[in-house]
Amino acid sequence: MPTPGEHHPAFEEYCECIFELHEDSVDVIQARIVERLQISRPAVSEMIRRLETEHLIVQNDGQIRLTESGMRLAQQTVRRHRLAERFLTDMLGLPWAEAHHEAGRWEHVMSDKVEAAMDRVLGSPTTCPHGNPIPGSKYIAPDTVTLSVVKTGTKFTISRITEELEFEPGLLDYLESSTIQPGQIGMVTAASPDGTMTIEINGHHVGVGAFASARILVAS
């Protein structure tokens, strides 16, 4: 059981989900939470009622918004998750997908002291391995566009793999193995009207589907 002042891991998970959906400019409604968490609609509806009772969220015309206390809880959980991902990849060498899965456990059990120590050891990183900002860091958002709008023949630098892509089965493995990673420079070599693209990166041509190209942020 959580100690006084702490919240049940399920509350943390839901607040984290709401935060990340909003971060990715996705409508924060119950249907999107069902899709993201892969939980039944009745179970989500019940948890939303509990979150309202705990004053962690408010609802307006079906849209769900974090309260001030809900935002604090979400930011703490997201911060710990992304620090854990950074530690697991940078220090332990775990693949992206495995680190994402493990960090989902660490975020609920990490103490303030461990969080501070991890941040110090890592050199106070500003993003997770996928380029998503770590709350509470000195992150400064660069000017970016989605890969989907980059013209054929144009070079770009990958900035961010948005959270939405982290929940697509097999996609993190594909992006990592294709070196579609923050900081990498690429060029669009072909683009279809449906949003499917071919890019050249590290001397290799790789395909990027429409769903991913609309959610990978790049800088010129």
Side-chain angles (χ1 to χ4, degrees):
M1 292 294 291
T3 59
E6 294 183 339
H7 288 279
H8 193 282
F11 289 0
E12 295 175 343
E13 185 174 18
Y14 272 75
C15 287
E16 177 186 29
C17 177
I18 293 165
F19 177 94
E20 291 176 346
L21 288 171
H22 184 267
E23 182 181 54
D24 287 347
S25 300
V26 177
D27 282 341
V28 187
I29 58 177
Q30 289 195 28
R32 300 292 82 78
I33 296 174
V34 168
E35 293 171 357
R36 175 64 62 89
L37 298 181
Q38 294 293 294
I39 296 173
S40 71
R41 183 62 180 264
V44 169
S45 296
E46 174 59 27
M47 181 57 73
I48 291 299
R49 284 193 291 270
R50 292 180 63 188
L51 291 171
E52 281 189 299
T53 301
E54 294 290 326
H55 306 293
L56 295 172
I57 65 164
V58 292
Q59 293 191 81
N60 185 20
D61 293 331
Q63 295 287 326
I64 300 167
R65 181 174 60 83
L66 293 167
T67 63
E68 185 176 339
S69 58
M71 179 63 74
R72 284 197 301 269
L73 180 60
Q75 289 177 332
Q76 178 191 72
T77 307
V78 171
R79 175 177 170 80
R80 291 176 175 179
H81 180 100
R82 293 178 182 176
L83 278 173
E85 284 185 317
R86 193 94 253 180
F87 182 83
L88 290 163
T89 56
D90 294 6
M91 306 298 287
L92 303 186
L94 265 63
W96 271 6
E98 190 173 348
H100 175 69
H101 178 71
E102 288 292 334
R105 300 173 179 172
W106 287 29
E107 67 189 30
H108 301 301
V109 298
M110 190 183 299
S111 67
D112 292 345
K113 287 184 178 181
V114 171
E115 176 191 324
M118 192 175 291
D119 182 66
R120 183 179 66 254
V121 167
L122 291 169
S124 297
T126 58
T127 71
C128 76
H130 322 113
N132 294 303
I134 295 174
S137 70
K138 296 182 179 180
Y139 176 81
I140 299 175
D143 292 329
T144 59
V145 297
T146 61
L147 177 60
S148 60
V149 305
V150 177
K151 302 298 183 183
T152 302
T154 303
K155 287 188 176 182
F156 58 85
T157 301
I158 297 170
S159 177
R160 183 173 164 192
I161 309 298
T162 58
E163 284 285 342
E164 199 169 0
L165 297 180
E166 297 186 33
F167 292 87
E168 288 296 305
L171 189 52
L172 277 185
D173 288 326
Y174 176 75
L175 294 175
E176 185 177 26
S177 64
S178 301
T179 64
I180 302 176
Q181 301 167 306
Q184 294 287 351
I185 297 172
M187 183 175 70
V188 177
T189 58
S192 302
D194 67 356
T196 301
M197 312 184 86
T198 301
I199 64 174
E200 182 180 358
I201 193 163
N202 283 334
H204 300 284
H205 290 269
V206 295
V208 181
F211 182 84
S213 70
R215 291 164 177 81
I216 295 174
L217 302 183
V218 302
S220 58

